[in-house]
Amino acid sequence: MKRRLLFGERMLLGDGTEPFNAVIPFRLRGTFRLKEIQQALAQIQNKHPWLRASISHDGKNIPWFNVPENTISIPVRIIARQGEDQWQEESRREWSTIFNYEKLPLIRFVWIKGENVSDMLFAFHHCLCDGGSAMAFLHEFLKVLDNPTADIGVEQPILGIQDVVPPEVLTNRKQKLKAKVIGRLAATAIKCIPVGKKAVERQNDYLIHWKLDKEMSQELISYCKSMEVTVNTFLSAAVLKAFRKVKGEAAFNKVSCPVDIRRFAKQIKDDHIFAFGLMIVVSSNQKMNFTENLHLMQESVERKTAKLNPYITMMVMESAHDALKNFTKLLKHGKSSNDCMFSNLGRIQIPHQYKEFTLDTIFSPSVIGPLGNTTTMVTSTFKGEMDFSFVGSEGYLPYSEALAIRDEVIQTVKQQLDHIAVL
């Protein structure tokens, strides 16, 4: 089984010399044997063909996912557990470790082994899948680790754009022409945008992690409901406010927010291994106070989200493969125009209690790559607690400023909740 990488996947893959890796860490309470872990990994590979895939290039240097007849197991690295925060150090190590994707799968596993508590990490190349897909195979891994006879089904993999875009859209002459024209215009525009000769020097990458406890998390959710805004909008507003407070005039007042394509393209199932994403940009009105901004931003988010069209977006991108090199160069060498990427995975629907072990926590995923500004904040909610991973690089955002931004985000949450409590 094989398929050609889509435009977005090729962009994330690059030329293979620079990692673009995502990491999902989680903590289990229980005792495990390596054989059990390897068996569970083999079972999720049996379900998902692309978890067995390597990448090969054809005569035109186009990359293809290629599933070999003889499965190559997901590599497992084991280290002794020596501290609560060791998973952060190992996350950073996994960010910078290149995948040998011509010979091995685009996924690996780290076991930080303790006596009764283990931290475990799935690390995967971002061209393989997004956070939603990763949460699906994490859930399946835990299910079969607990019960090797559990049925997790078999994925019918996406074999190309034809499995995502309905035929009535994909073969429509008007839509095809529209996609081609937009693709050509975008490719021409990208060529004309001036970029620097050198990419920004990233310097040291870092990870800042924190949680809101159950009580504060629930209060925030209730507050957002009462204000008729989403938690995503509230936190985006808090992030924008924090950047403005810390960076002043140097802040861009822009946050990029990924939107799960599965909301629009129902052909993509929750357990599909797939990396394509949609994006909107959120800004605030700096002449308004925080609560006034919330309603304005919520309206803007809903308006922009309603305009998203995954089918035309994919068709446009697939018509512009010849512009990939210029587009990548623009992302790498162009000036940053947004403060950060902010992604909210929402409530993680994975059980925490199993027969053989307990899932103590899932830490929010982290991801970092070479395509421009690395500053990314990811949040998720598990067992009622909101968890935050804040990733950045000194060359884009100094660590001291990132710490100050974290503190400002936490302070904004507390201030709004205190305000509502007084009322």
Side-chain angles (χ1 to χ4, degrees), residues 252-263:
F252 294 104
N253 190 32
K254 287 182 181 177
V255 167
S256 302
C257 296
V259 179
D260 190 352
I261 191 173
R262 294 164 185 82
R263 286 171 54 181

Side-chain angles (χ1 to χ4, degrees), residues 210 212 216 219-220 223-224 231 233-246 284 289-294 297 377 388 403-421:
W210 73 96
L212 302 183
M216 187 178 289
E219 284 178 5
L220 177 54
Y223 173 82
C224 290
V231 172
T233 297
F234 178 97
L235 290 172
S236 295
V239 168
L240 287 166
K241 181 172 178 265
F243 269 90
R244 188 166 68 250
K245 177 79 178 288
V246 173
S284 64
N289 67 31
F290 187 81
T291 48
E292 288 171 336
N293 251 313
L294 282 181
M297 287 174 64
M377 192 181 295
F388 294 79
L403 288 174
I405 287 166
R406 174 204 61 187
D407 293 344
E408 281 295 325
V409 169
I410 295 170
Q411 187 62 25
T412 297
V413 173
K414 288 179 177 176
Q415 282 175 347
Q416 295 306 308
L417 298 183
D418 288 345
H419 177 68
I420 203 83

Side-chain angles (χ1 to χ4, degrees), residues 139-396:
H139 187 184
E140 294 159 358
F141 168 78
L142 294 168
K143 196 180 281 188
V144 292
L145 180 63
D146 186 53
N147 176 14
T149 62
D151 181 13
I152 55 173
V154 178
E155 179 196 1
Q156 297 299 313
I158 291 168
L159 296 174
I161 189 173
Q162 72 279 0
D163 289 340
V164 178
V165 181
E168 62 270 20
V169 178
L170 192 61
T171 59
N172 183 288
R173 287 178 64 187
K174 189 177 176 182
Q175 300 283 27
K176 284 167 72 176
L177 181 62
K178 180 182 177 182
K180 201 165 188 178
V181 169
I182 295 172
R184 289 303 91 207
L185 287 171
T188 304
I190 287 165
K191 278 184 185 178
C192 298
I193 297 172
V195 295
K197 290 184 179 178
K198 277 190 172 183
V200 171
E201 185 65 43
R202 253 166 66 175
Q203 302 171 44
N204 290 334
D205 301 324
Y206 54 79
L207 168 63
I208 301 170
H209 172 260
W210 73 96
K211 285 180 182 284
L212 302 183
D213 63 27
K214 267 187 186 177
E215 186 181 355
M216 187 178 289
S217 299
Q218 186 52 56
E219 284 178 5
L220 177 54
I221 293 166
S222 300
Y223 173 82
C224 290
K225 283 181 181 175
S226 71
M227 295 292 288
E228 297 184 333
V229 299
T230 63
V231 172
N232 197 72
T233 297
F234 178 97
L235 290 172
S236 295
V239 168
L240 287 166
K241 181 172 178 265
F243 269 90
R244 188 166 68 250
K245 177 79 178 288
V246 173
K247 295 190 71 69
E249 293 297 314
F252 294 104
N253 190 32
K254 287 182 181 177
V255 167
S256 302
C257 296
V259 179
D260 190 352
I261 191 173
R262 294 164 185 82
R263 286 171 54 181
F264 304 90
K266 299 302 180 185
Q267 298 87 336
I268 307 170
K269 306 304 180 189
D270 287 344
D271 63 350
H272 266 135
I273 302 299
F274 195 62
F276 189 88
L278 301 168
M279 195 80 66
I280 61 171
V281 175
V282 180
S283 298
S284 64
N285 186 327
Q286 298 183 23
K287 294 178 182 177
M288 292 184 171
N289 67 31
F290 187 81
T291 48
E292 288 171 336
N293 251 313
L294 282 181
H295 297 293
L296 194 71
M297 287 174 64
Q298 187 63 48
E299 288 172 12
S300 172
V301 165
E302 289 169 6
R303 192 167 57 248
K304 288 178 178 180
T305 305
K307 287 181 180 178
L308 291 173
N309 186 328
Y311 304 139
I312 286 295
T313 303
M314 283 192 75
M315 289 169 70
V316 166
M317 294 175 82
E318 288 311 293
S319 74
H321 274 265
D322 59 331
L324 181 67
K325 194 174 180 180
N326 288 325
F327 189 52
T328 302
K329 187 178 178 183
L330 174 65
L331 291 174
K332 279 187 177 183
H333 295 207
K335 286 186 177 180
S336 182
S337 61
N338 71 331
D339 294 303
C340 81
M341 174 144 353
F342 174 71
S343 177
N344 179 13
L345 293 177
R347 191 157 66 91
I348 297 174
Q349 308 271 16
I350 295 178
H352 71 275
Q353 195 62 58
Y354 296 81
K355 284 187 296 181
E356 301 297 328
F357 56 83
T358 302
L359 176 58
D360 189 72
T361 192
I362 299 172
F363 302 104
S364 288
S366 60
V367 61
I368 198 162
L371 300 180
N373 190 350
T374 57
T375 315
T376 304
M377 192 181 295
V378 181
T379 184
S380 59
T381 303
F382 182 69
K383 288 167 60 178
E385 291 184 332
M386 283 191 194
D387 184 278
F388 294 79
S389 289
F390 189 11
V391 170
S393 307
E394 288 277 0
Y396 286 103

Side-chain angles (χ1 to χ4, degrees), residues 48-64:
H48 301 286
W50 306 132
L51 296 187
R52 310 195 293 271
S54 57
I55 290 179
S56 57
H57 288 76
D58 63 19
K60 294 180 179 178
N61 205 33
I62 304 295
W64 291 68

